[in-house]
Amino acid sequence: MPQHKLILASKSPRRQELMRLMGLQYELVLKEVDESYPAHLPLTEVPLYIAEKKAHAFDGNAGDAIVITADTIVLLDNQILGKPDGEHGAIAMLQQLSGKMHQVITGVALLTPHNGLISLTEVTNVYFNVLADAQIIHYVSNYQPFDKAGSYGIQEWIGLIGIAKIEGSYTNVVGLPTERLYNELQRLSV
């Protein structure tokens, strides 16, 4: 696969696991990055903007490695649903998502030693069934999705019982569009 060392710059345990499942060996290197974005930026471009910002934190000090960064948002009715503010915030977010379609958008940036910055965006449409309040409360109480945008993990109980269908990449909803990333890494190693 890649001829270069890979650096994954992500705190997300789901992204780390997806990289392992892809069979990619990487070094985990974390840098604190301000994740703010300009107010005029279209919301669909926010994840790529932040992913590129994270990658640029490694400018000039990544050596011969390929640095992989990513950012994922949940977009509902032209509003970004970030990580919830505790239990009540998670319940309220899932009530908003209930019975509706939303988009999960991930921006991925690869800072490469020879090709500069390579960026890609993946969009997946996710359709939730109407969820009963008891289902939402059960999920939040038992799975505590407080570190997840939109307050849910598709790979968890709520995804198994509450999502009617998706259009697009499943792994994108988990947090990293693995097929697109793999193909890009393969292209870079040629």
Side-chain angles (χ1 to χ4, degrees):
M1 191 48 184
Q3 298 166 346
H4 299 278
K5 178 174 109 176
L6 297 178
I7 292 175
L8 177 64
S10 176
K11 294 178 200 169
S12 166
R14 290 158 298 281
R15 287 191 189 115
Q16 295 168 25
E17 177 65 10
L18 288 170
M19 291 282 288
R20 282 191 292 274
L21 289 171
M22 291 168 66
L24 298 175
Q25 294 187 354
Y26 62 89
E27 179 183 351
L28 186 64
V29 179
L30 302 176
K31 291 189 180 236
E32 285 301 316
V33 175
D34 170 23
E35 295 190 17
S36 63
Y37 53 88
H40 68 275
L41 191 67
L43 296 181
T44 55
E45 295 176 21
V46 167
L48 187 58
Y49 178 87
I50 294 173
E52 288 177 346
K53 213 173 178 184
K54 291 175 182 178
H56 283 304
F58 288 84
D59 280 344
N61 59 11
D64 216 22
I66 295 174
V67 178
I68 301 166
T69 63
D71 189 72
T72 300
I73 64 165
V74 169
L75 190 61
L76 174 69
D77 298 331
N78 207 35
Q79 174 189 3
I80 293 176
L81 301 183
K83 294 175 184 170
D85 184 19
E87 188 173 331
H88 294 297
I91 290 168
M93 260 188 221
L94 288 168
Q95 288 170 332
Q96 279 183 276
L97 293 169
S98 176
K100 295 181 183 164
M101 186 276 284
H102 65 274
Q103 293 185 309
V104 176
I105 306 171
T106 301
V108 178
L110 290 85
L111 184 64
T112 68
H114 306 297
N115 299 305
L117 190 65
I118 298 169
S119 304
L120 57 99
T121 299
E122 186 74 25
V123 180
T124 303
N125 295 331
V126 180
Y127 296 79
F128 260 105
N129 292 320
V130 174
L131 301 170
D133 283 347
Q135 292 172 316
I136 292 171
I137 292 165
H138 169 80
Y139 174 67
V140 171
S141 297
N142 290 287
Y143 291 87
Q144 302 180 343
F146 309 129
D147 67 334
K148 297 174 176 72
S151 301
Y152 78 93
I154 192 171
Q155 71 280 12
E156 296 174 340
W157 183 81
I158 199 81
L160 300 175
I161 65 98
I163 293 178
K165 69 176 180 175
I166 67 168
E167 295 168 344
S169 167
Y170 169 82
T171 61
N172 182 51
V173 184
V174 178
L176 192 65
T178 55
E179 190 258 347
R180 297 260 322 265
L181 175 60
Y182 186 85
N183 287 338
E184 195 59 47
L185 290 172
Q186 202 166 36
R187 189 184 69 77
L188 288 170
S189 69
V190 173

